[in-house]
Structures are given as C-alpha cells and as structure tokens.
Amino acid sequence: METLGIDIGGSGIKGAPVDVARGELTQERLRIPTPIPSKPKAVAEVVAEIVAHFGWTGQVGVTFPGVVTDGVARTAANVDHEWIGTDARALFAGMTGLPTVVLNDADAAGVAEVAVGAARGEGGVVLMLTFGTGIGSALFVDGHLVPNTELGHLEIRGKEAEKRASDHAREEDELSWSKWAGRVEEYLRHVEALFSPSLIVIGGGVSKKADKFLPLVKVKTRVVPATLQNEAGIVGAAMAAALP
Ligand code: BGC
C-alpha cells in the first residue's frame, strides 16, 4: 500500500509517496522551502502543491513541528504562532480535497524508526530524539507511541533543553563537536533519569554526522543513530495515514 507522506520543517517542506510496508519512498521526494512567515494558509498551499506534483488522490499523512491533538496544532515553538489552535487536519483536507492525518514531526520519525529503522523489534521503553531547529521527542512503550511528549522543552540549567542542545544551538553558539556533545550528554542523562529507556535513537539532520559526536556522549543507555535520517518524517507520516 502507498500513501503520501509530507514532513513540515522549519526550513523545508518535503514529501513523497511511500510504500508503507517497506518504509521506502517510491518516487524522488520533492522539497519546497517553508514559506516565511510560516503561516497556516501559506504552508497549506505548499502541502497542496506537493499533492498536485505527485498527482496524488489517496490518503495523506502530514507532520507538524508542535503538539497535535485531534488534528489541531496546540503549540508552535519554531513556526508561526498563528498555528496555535488551528485545525491543521481540516485546513490540509480542505486545501487538498483528500483525507489527511496530522501528527507531531518527532512522533512521525519515531513511528518510522520503530517500524523499519533503528528501533525495529525493540520492546520496552524506547525514546527517539530528533536534533534540528528544536529537539523533538517520541516515546514508545512496547512499540506503542505515547504522543506529544515534547521533551525538548525540559528545563536544564534554567533554560529549555532545545535552546542549549539542538543542532541549531550548536550552530548558533558556534560550538565544537565535543562542546556540543557535552550538552547533548547532559540532556540525555536528564531524560534517562526520568524514563529509564532501554534504547535512545538519535535522529534529525545531524544524525548523518553521528560519528562526530555520538562516540563522545557517555550515558548508561544504549544510544544509536536513526537509520532513516532525513526521510523518517515522510515515512512515519505516510505510515500514520495508512492506519485504519
Ligand atoms: C516542538 C516539538 C517538535 C520539535 C522538533 C519543538 O520545538 O515543540 O513539537 O517536535 O521542536 O521539530
């Protein structure tokens, strides 16, 4: 079965049809820069453009970088605040004319990693953390998602964790890999103290460079890089849309 997955990020909106059983894109993905400002209508127009590009007529799964309950965006840390309270599912469905599922971006990436990636077959408590503009989190218990955990906003040294340890913070503060790894380690120690996961999967664009920082991160929990990397959001969104 194929569904269309669309991943809304702070800088780009990416989409592709996905073979959901295999967790693989079936066509080359399309990436369109996120409109500035990233207001709901402008973003929905890009979603509709991606749907039209693939001539898509079936189910669509869309990620959103904030809390999503019942298709409604509840927070918007790294996108325009007009999103808060917007019925994203109704907006996208109205704009595309297609049945749409909307879920948090890190939750989608986690769904993909649990199904076909680095956390495949893992029972118990598994945590996926994505390091990008912010820090996203997806918590799984025996393969079941506990949605909207938002662990990037935990407070560390009086500051939101994502303001200190996201990949964006690494770039903005011009941190060396080892300095940044220290911040990531402190953050991971915090989450492992709270959840005692058996596995932590590190995702987001920076997971491509895992060899530069993961060996420097010393925690008790097993930590592995995501295997789907930049495609995890698209794949997980498509998988969510395929659920009955
Ligand atoms: C948002 C999360 C999101 C993460 C990664 C955070 O600022 O609150 O919902 O998953 O960024 O995009």
Side-chain angles (χ1 to χ4, degrees):
M1 181 189 183
E2 275 187 41
T3 53
L4 184 70
I6 299 179
D7 190 20
I8 298 177
S11 59
I13 302 179
K14 300 162 282 182
V18 174
D19 176 332
V20 289
R22 297 157 66 105
E24 284 170 9
L25 310 196
T26 57
Q27 291 184 52
E28 196 178 328
R29 68 169 202 181
L30 175 66
R31 181 186 188 279
I32 297 175
T34 306
I36 302 171
S38 52
K39 293 200 178 291
K41 188 165 173 286
V43 169
E45 278 166 4
V46 174
V47 167
E49 195 179 330
I50 294 175
V51 166
H53 170 84
F54 291 105
W56 198 255
T57 53
Q59 299 271 10
V60 184
V62 185
T63 76
F64 177 75
V67 171
V68 181
T69 55
D70 297 326
V72 178
R74 308 287 178 184
T75 67
N78 296 308
V79 281
D80 195 276
H81 283 196
E82 207 177 278
W83 277 101
I84 299 171
T86 296
D87 188 334
R89 181 173 55 201
L91 178 67
F92 299 146
M95 201 74 108
T96 62
L98 298 175
T100 307
V101 167
V102 185
L103 75 166
N104 173 262
D105 56 354
D107 283 346
V111 163
E113 291 293 334
V114 164
V116 295
R120 184 180 191 158
E122 285 279 333
V125 176
V126 171
L127 198 54
M128 162 105 195
L129 296 169
T130 62
F131 291 78
T133 312
I135 297 178
S137 62
L139 179 67
F140 294 84
V141 183
D142 288 335
H144 297 287
L145 172 69
V146 181
N148 295 310
T149 42
E150 293 291 315
L151 301 181
H153 300 286
L154 285 173
E155 201 175 297
I156 294 192
R157 295 178 191 266
K159 224 175 164 183
E160 278 186 295
E162 72 175 22
K163 298 273 186 294
R164 291 176 43 80
S166 64
D167 193 39
H168 178 69
R170 177 183 67 81
E171 286 173 350
E172 204 170 61
D173 298 350
E174 295 178 8
L175 301 176
S176 65
W177 285 108
S178 78
K179 261 254 152 62
W180 185 64
R183 291 190 184 184
V184 172
E185 180 178 301
E186 185 177 37
Y187 174 61
L188 295 192
R189 281 181 197 270
H190 203 71
V191 292
E192 75 179 355
L194 290 172
F195 297 99
S196 301
S198 49
L199 178 71
I200 296 177
V201 180
I202 303 291
V206 77
S207 60
K208 273 183 287 192
K209 301 175 196 148
D211 56 324
K212 294 200 190 300
F213 68 96
L214 268 195
L216 307 171
V217 173
K218 307 267 185 262
V219 291
K220 283 182 283 179
T221 314
R222 198 155 42 101
V223 182
V224 296
T227 55
L228 289 126
Q229 297 177 349
N230 267 341
E231 288 174 359
I234 298 175
V235 172
M239 286 177 168
L243 292 174

